[in-house]
Amino acid sequence: MHEFVTIATFTLPHEASILAARLEDEGIETYLRDELTVQQNNFYSHALGGVKLQVRENDVENALKIMQGSGYIGEHAAKEISDSAAINSIDEKKQKKIKRIFIFVFVLTAILTIIAYISSRPTMEELLTRKSWNIEEITFDSVKVHAATRTISIAWKNHKSEGTLIFFRNGEVSLPGVGGSSENGQWIVDEDRILIHGLGQMKKIFEGIYSIKIDGNELVLRSRHTVIRCTRMPW
């Protein structure tokens, strides 16, 4: 579709409307740019460069002939307006092309940034296996369970300890056992859920499907019966 180009400017909207009506009677589509803004306050007219009477590119020559015949412009002025309209049309096309290119580059950059961010984020498996976890609290059916492994028997940095939780990359997991020993099992992670299974004596307490919540160095595993609250250890 042909773009609108300016063929005349007027200080007041009603001046532009008279010529626009004349052109519309001849079957030429018109558009009064900045008409509503200037109507609200005539002082805006000078700041905006007046009310612009615009027609389609393919109607410029016919519109200028009508303006000549109606005494709005002379032959020389018509040629200048025609040349100016052609130049403005080219400039507007360039501006629109540049705008489209800018939008495309902006959207592409945003997409690449999102992809880079997502690809650089550690997976849940990486977050769990990065370091060992100090278990600060274990509750089973809302009752606190106390068990400590030989791997850690004292508190560190004012953190209380109920033992150590270690997720190994080979799919094994180490949890506090009975009598100060640790107990090993298997773990499988699926997005924000984890299945712990294959345990022995601590099966009733620790086996199950847990939701995972990691906030910085804090980890909370929550199953139907058991809640394990941990803090990431510095080693």
Side-chain angles (χ1 to χ4, degrees):
M1 180 177 288
H2 294 280
E3 303 290 339
F4 278 105
V5 294
T6 300
I7 60 171
T9 57
F10 298 86
T11 302
L12 300 175
H14 72 272
E15 297 173 339
S17 297
I18 295 173
L19 179 55
R22 176 76 176 85
L23 296 176
E24 292 279 357
D25 289 341
E26 297 292 336
I28 296 176
E29 183 181 4
T30 64
Y31 173 66
L32 297 181
R33 186 174 179 181
D34 298 324
E35 176 189 18
L36 296 179
T37 304
V38 176
Q39 277 182 346
Q40 293 177 359
N41 194 325
N42 291 337
F43 290 106
Y44 291 155
S45 182
H46 292 292
L48 295 172
V51 179
K52 293 88 173 173
L53 172 60
Q54 297 184 327
V55 299
R56 299 285 185 184
E57 288 177 303
N58 59 326
D59 288 328
V60 170
E61 296 301 325
N62 289 335
L64 293 177
K65 288 179 181 179
I66 295 171
M67 291 171 67
Q68 269 188 273
S70 302
Y72 279 93
I73 57 174
E75 182 178 351
H76 179 70
K79 186 177 185 307
E80 289 184 344
I81 294 173
S82 178
D83 293 342
S84 176
I87 293 172
N88 290 338
S89 175
I90 294 173
D91 290 341
E92 288 181 6
K93 287 180 179 178
K94 286 182 178 179
Q95 290 175 2
K96 289 185 178 181
K97 185 176 181 180
I98 292 172
K99 185 177 180 180
R100 286 195 294 267
I101 293 173
F102 176 79
I103 293 174
F104 172 77
V105 172
F106 176 80
V107 172
L108 180 62
T109 302
I111 292 173
L112 292 176
T113 301
I114 293 172
I115 292 174
Y117 171 74
I118 293 175
S119 62
S120 64
R121 283 196 311 171
T123 64
M124 184 62 72
E125 180 179 352
E126 290 171 337
L127 290 173
L128 291 172
T129 59
R130 185 171 292 171
K131 289 182 179 179
S132 302
W133 297 91
N134 173 61
I135 299 177
E136 296 193 347
E137 183 180 86
I138 305 169
T139 57
F140 179 75
D141 287 340
S142 301
V143 178
K144 288 186 179 181
V145 177
H146 298 281
T149 68
R150 284 195 289 264
T151 57
I152 180 166
S153 57
I154 59 174
W156 58 277
K157 291 184 180 179
N158 298 321
H159 288 268
K160 58 185 179 180
S161 178
E162 293 295 342
T164 306
L165 170 61
I166 306 174
F167 294 100
F168 298 98
R169 292 185 181 277
N170 63 0
E172 293 186 0
V173 61
S174 177
L175 288 153
V178 177
S181 63
S182 61
E183 186 161 336
N184 294 333
Q186 304 293 318
W187 67 285
I188 301 173
V189 67
D190 179 18
E191 295 183 354
D192 59 349
R193 297 195 307 168
I194 185 171
L195 168 64
I196 296 178
H197 65 103
L199 298 171
Q201 292 178 309
M202 302 299 288
K203 175 179 180 178
K204 182 177 180 180
I205 294 177
F206 290 129
E207 283 197 356
I209 299 175
Y210 292 81
S211 64
I212 306 171
K213 181 181 179 182
I214 297 179
D215 185 5
N217 289 323
E218 296 183 356
L219 167 67
V220 178
L221 300 178
R222 190 183 302 273
S223 71
R224 182 178 179 183
H225 297 284
T226 304
V227 179
I228 306 173
R229 301 181 186 277
C230 309
T231 304
R232 195 189 306 276
M233 298 172 67
W235 55 82

